[in-house]
Amino acid sequence: MTTSTSTSTSTSTRTVVVPARAAWSAVIREGETLTLTDLHGNQAVDFLVYDAQDTAVRYSAPDTVHAQGNIFLTTGSVLLSNEHTPLMTVTADEVGRHDTVGGACSKESNTLRYGHHTWSQHACVDNFLAEGARHGLGKRDLVSNINWYMNVPVEKDGTLGIVDGLSAPGRKLTLRAERDVLVLVSNCPQINNPCNGFDPTAVETTITGAAG
């Protein structure tokens, strides 16, 4: 990973380029923002968020979807915890729609969907487990995740699919931390469906300090 830091009189920024298929994590302090940049376009970014002080409090897809009355996330969406409290808010979005229902790819789901020959392929669950272990998290701490930039349309009969993304090179989204949070990212390694254009690429994360 490539990391750079810059500091001004009011804010500081920390930027990391997360390689294709890799994991990343960070604690984002209350009031700081996290910007995710799809550097090359059509790259899904799997995402989990926890209260940094108590990781038993973590992102809840049911609470988030119910509160906003929409399964897709965009500017203004509030990521709620399993205690129905805000963790992060989407403050800017250049894509317009992000997935909450597609889940994270795993060896098991790859085998079921694409055949046993995919068993050895690296998957988002592997990334989450490895990165989460650095913070004392295990398999029981994995919950339904967000897929930034991933396009999962849902038909009237409930059928969903994974299709070509809506993003493009350089498009960004920004989230503000509503408390100190721990963020886990899996830069999705999937090569069997169009979520990454069948060619996973790098993304960029930028943490910007709260102005003060």
Side-chain angles (χ1 to χ4, degrees), residues 139-156:
K139 194 166 188 177
R140 291 188 177 186
D141 297 301
L142 300 189
V143 294
S144 296
N145 61 285
I146 296 165
N147 294 305
W148 301 117
Y149 301 108
M150 190 163 149
N151 188 14
V152 183
V154 180
E155 306 298 336
K156 290 182 178 179

Side-chain angles (χ1 to χ4, degrees), residues 38-50:
D38 186 2
L39 293 174
H40 302 281
N42 208 21
Q43 174 61 39
V45 179
D46 290 43
F47 184 93
L48 288 170
V49 55
Y50 303 79

